[in-house]
Amino acid sequence: MTNPAPSKLALVPFVSVDNMMKIVNTIGPATMIAEIAAYIEADFKRWEEFDKTPRVAAHSSEGVIELMPTSDGETYGFKYVNGHPANMARGFQTVTAFGVLARVDNGYPILFSEMTVLTALRTAATSAVAAKYLAPEGSSTMAMIGNGAQCEFQALAFQKIIGIDTVRLYDIDPVATDKAAENLKDTGLTIVKCSSPEEAVTGAQIITTCTADKQYATILTDNMVGSGVHINAIGGDCPGKTELHRDILLRSDIFVEFPPQTRIEGEIQQLDEDHPVTELWRVIAGRNTGRSTASQITLFDSVGFATEDFSALRYVRDQLEATGHFVELDLLADPDDPRDLFGMVRRAKG
């Protein structure tokens, strides 16, 4: 017996890595980051509509595996993501991810997507959205400390959305810096390769830290950070992993995504539980002030939050019809009679 063709309800759009790269190259990386940023900003403005919970994490000595769920009442989304700093030395990616969107009314998934590439895009987009409200006006130079997988996406985001024209690169591995400089050479950015983090931050109005070691690290010392800068700290994203000296935090106005998660995983795990922070959504929604003085040090203590993945997945789903870069997976059992799942299996025997 020939199995009947699956119904449309059983088919779920799937965006593979190959599909995602085609979508990115069809739209253009910088344009796609900017468009995802618009979705993220819109969803931050309706922050109160979302279910919010710190990500569900399974920690080990090697790294972490996490689930990041959220819902706006109509659509549910989650991301599966790992973080294993030693992976690169073993020939694996440090971070890999996939994500799902589903209808709340019936629980059926409506999108299944790779999110390793997409997470890099949405992380860069989120950084730039925060900088839009927090960075000094007229910022033109960004220091990028840590030139791994996130580096180029961050540079493009800040060029497209904030208007920077110069990126000063530093990594403890010069090969990573050379890689980033090569990838960015035709973007119109002025690329400066630096031999130390101190050299990298010289003249920068924005400092982005993005390193991978799972440890309490001091990528920026207190004397490296002058008044009036914006720090985009995106490398600290699990307990026991930080990048900034505690004294920098004490001099900064700190902005976070979701405090219950950031206090566990972000730079502010170094501070007392009652240390004041401002939720970024409140600034975007006009409830709180972002940057208020030229001398202020602003710090976006970013660890990544589920609503940002939700926004990115929502954006990708909206591009499927226009780009056509997806396949349909026969993912859901869909018997003619919902009560007769066994009968569907038996009849498939032939």
Side-chain angles (χ1 to χ4, degrees):
M1 172 185 279
T2 302
N3 292 336
S7 73
K8 197 66 178 174
L9 286 176
L11 299 175
V12 180
F14 169 58
V15 178
S16 66
V17 174
D18 182 61
N19 293 144
M20 185 63 72
M21 292 190 294
K22 288 176 179 175
I23 292 172
V24 173
N25 286 316
T26 296
I27 296 171
T31 298
M32 188 164 170
I33 290 169
E35 291 177 353
I36 291 172
Y39 275 60
I40 290 171
E41 190 169 0
D43 284 342
F44 268 115
K45 288 180 179 178
R46 62 187 187 108
W47 181 261
E48 292 165 303
E49 296 178 17
F50 286 91
D51 293 335
K52 294 171 285 290
T53 183
R55 49 188 156 209
V56 181
H59 294 282
S60 69
S61 59
E62 291 82 14
V64 63
I65 296 173
E66 300 170 325
L67 293 179
M68 301 173 65
T70 192
S71 171
D72 66 356
E74 293 186 5
T75 305
Y76 171 89
F78 77 85
K79 182 173 77 174
Y80 167 99
V81 61
N82 78 294
H84 286 70
N87 269 2
M88 186 164 32
R90 298 183 292 175
F92 299 103
Q93 285 287 108
T94 301
V95 176
T96 64
F98 66 86
V100 174
L101 288 181
R103 289 171 50 172
V104 168
D105 62 349
N106 64 8
Y108 273 40
I110 54 177
L111 178 68
F112 182 34
S113 178
E114 86 80 38
M115 286 199 75
T116 307
V117 175
L118 186 58
T119 294
L121 294 162
R122 78 88 164 127
T123 301
T126 303
S127 294
V129 168
K132 178 178 173 180
Y133 293 87
L134 303 177
E137 186 175 354
S139 295
S140 61
T141 300
M142 178 168 75
M144 187 78 206
I145 301 176
N147 303 155
Q150 280 283 336
C151 176
E152 297 90 338
F153 297 95
Q154 293 283 325
L156 291 176
F158 278 78
Q159 180 189 33
K160 181 75 171 180
I161 298 170
I162 304 303
I164 66 164
D165 56 33
T166 301
V167 178
R168 300 176 65 83
L169 301 174
Y170 171 74
D171 195 288
I172 58 172
D173 181 1
V175 174
T177 300
D178 290 342
K179 175 270 303 180
E182 175 66 21
N183 285 337
L184 293 169
K185 68 179 182 180
D186 296 323
T187 62
L189 288 165
T190 297
I191 306 301
V192 182
K193 294 191 286 185
C194 300
S195 58
S196 68
E198 290 82 1
E199 182 185 354
V201 302
T202 301
Q205 298 88 33
I206 299 169
I207 303 171
T208 292
T209 57
C210 185
T211 60
D213 283 347
K214 189 179 180 183
Q215 61 180 343
Y216 288 111
T218 305
I219 307 305
L220 291 183
T221 56
D222 189 38
N223 65 321
M224 292 168 61
V225 178
S227 64
V229 302
H230 172 61
I231 303 171
N232 177 42
I234 63 174
D237 55 9
C238 68
K241 180 172 185 275
T242 62
E243 298 180 311
L244 310 183
H245 192 282
R246 184 175 183 272
D247 288 349
I248 297 174
L249 307 183
L250 297 176
R251 292 197 292 130
S252 303
D253 289 312
I254 303 171
F255 300 82
V256 303
E257 291 137 319
F258 186 56
Q261 179 172 296
T262 311
R263 291 194 188 278
I264 296 170
E265 301 182 348
E267 298 297 326
I268 60 173
Q269 64 186 279
Q270 303 178 68
L271 303 177
D272 295 336
E273 280 289 323
D274 59 353
H275 188 90
V277 298
T278 301
E279 293 181 67
L280 182 62
W281 78 268
R282 300 187 66 86
V283 177
I284 294 172
R287 307 275 188 92
N288 287 75
T289 302
R291 174 167 289 274
S292 56
T293 69
S295 61
Q296 182 182 16
I297 299 172
T298 53
L299 166 60
F300 179 41
D301 188 3
S302 174
V303 297
F305 191 62
T307 59
E308 299 153 19
D309 300 310
F310 181 96
S311 303
L313 287 166
R314 190 165 65 84
Y315 170 82
V316 167
R317 185 168 186 261
D318 287 350
Q319 308 313 307
L320 296 187
E321 184 176 348
T323 66
H325 297 312
F326 69 99
V327 297
E328 290 184 319
L329 296 182
D330 182 13
L331 189 64
L332 305 177
D334 187 36
D336 293 336
D337 180 349
R339 300 166 298 180
D340 193 20
L341 185 62
F342 183 85
M344 183 187 75
V345 175
R346 182 177 59 83
R347 287 187 292 272
K349 185 177 179 180

